[in-house]
Amino acid sequence: MPENIPNVQLRAWRNEHQLTRAEMADRINSTQIGISERLTCDEERIRRWEAGEVRWPRSPYRLALTQLTGLQPEALGFSQTRQTGSRLIEATAILPMDALRAEAELYGTMELAQQLQASDVGTGTLEALAEAVDLLCRAYPVVPATTLRDRTQKRLAQVNKLLAGRLTLDQHRELLVITGWLTALLGCVHYDLGEREEAETARRAAFEMGRQVGHGELMGWAHEMSAWFALVEGRYEDVVTAARMGQAVAGQTSAMVQLTLQEARGLARIGDRREADRALTRGAGVLSRLPMPDNPDHHFVFDHAKWVFYAATCYTWLADDDRAEEHARETIQMHTRPDGTSNAPMRVADAHIDLGIVHARRGDLDAAVEQGIAAFDIDRRSLTDLVNRAGDLDRVLRQRYRNEALADEFHERFMMARRALTTRHPELLD
């Protein structure tokens, strides 16, 4: 994750008012306090604020911001102190790439494997299982989808044995929640692999488990999966409907933020700029009230960098090329390590597609195809999502560059990926 926490509330306010960074800087300088203090705000200062490099601007700038926006600095995402997460687990220091190994090792501790085989819940079993599920969810961004699917299915089969064992009511509830998260994760991986029916079956099962125990966040994520499926499949009105249904039950959780941003993406696909901006702003507001996550790489945790990623795609679909490019480039920068590898390859792949579409619309075919191929070259990605997003770029290229060899080259790569998805053999891309 990025070293600094992006200030998404300030960015959301600027986006909703359709200001560039330079325009916002000029307006700050033109406020009453800006004139009296001779402030020299510029585009770079706004960038540093939005990137989280400056958490608490100097007093004159805070006053100028309040005069410009009508909001206090805290409502714009500024803070005098850094927020920290509330959970303390040993797995915190484990990198996503090592999470699958750590999960396997955990099953060898505390005699967990023997307890599972005995279909009984001993002391510490549920705590260890919950930590194991967290590790699997943290492995999601970087572990090959087939590997993660097989491991998750194996764990589900083991955990399900416990449900028939000797359980108190509290243990039964907690185990259902653990099973629900595993099932939701499995549904996501199935969908990444193009296994649509299996994904929907898992999604429904996760929702039912959440409903049985009254777990709003789990039910919210099940609704979010429905919105995601609808988005990829082109059912944009259904995206908005599913996202709003999920918001009714999710509470103040990461699921609520994700659902609000999915609503924004559905609205962007429909072309409703005003409501999409409002949804992005609402999502930023909810996110600001949540504690900073210990493990933002967890698939069912929404972090500030993900807000920037979602905004990039929204503005790409709304044909706001300058804003789309700004957010897409920052997404790639935030998630690229010094050695060139990525800690969030699926986000980076989508950001490359966003940049490809922007370049294509601006008339730069070489850069558009370069960005599109870069998305295909990323190892861990959701093939279903990638084919959907690459289709956006392919349509722009074929409309604008029908007889160009480079456009044909990208089209062939796109068709290869689509065939791989159709036949459920993603290894054909390798």
Side-chain angles (χ1 to χ4, degrees), residues 184 203-204 206-207 217-227:
R203 186 199 71 79
R204 289 177 179 271
F207 176 83
E217 185 175 13
L218 183 53
M219 289 190 289
W221 278 107
H223 281 297
E224 190 279 334
M225 292 167 68
S226 184

Side-chain angles (χ1 to χ4, degrees), residues 15 21 43 118 201-202 272 280 283 360 373 418:
N15 288 340
R21 286 171 173 161
E43 184 176 356
T201 298
D272 191 337
L280 285 166
I373 296 299
R418 193 165 74 169

Side-chain angles (χ1 to χ4, degrees), residues 114-123 125-126 129 158-175:
Q114 290 82 354
Q115 292 174 27
L116 289 171
Q117 291 174 3
S119 297
D120 194 9
V121 177
T123 303
T125 301
L126 291 176
L129 283 173
Q158 293 172 323
V159 172
N160 279 333
K161 293 180 180 179
L162 290 176
L163 288 171
R166 296 180 295 276
L167 300 170
T168 67
L169 287 177
D170 287 343
Q171 288 173 333
H172 186 264
R173 182 189 185 282
E174 191 170 349
L175 196 58

Side-chain angles (χ1 to χ4, degrees), residues 27 32 65 97 205 221 237 253 270 302 339 357 393 398:
R27 293 199 183 189
Q32 182 179 357
L65 279 164
M97 66 184 68
W221 278 107
E237 296 285 353
T253 63
I270 295 169
F302 199 100
D339 63 0
I357 293 170
L393 176 55
R398 291 180 68 77

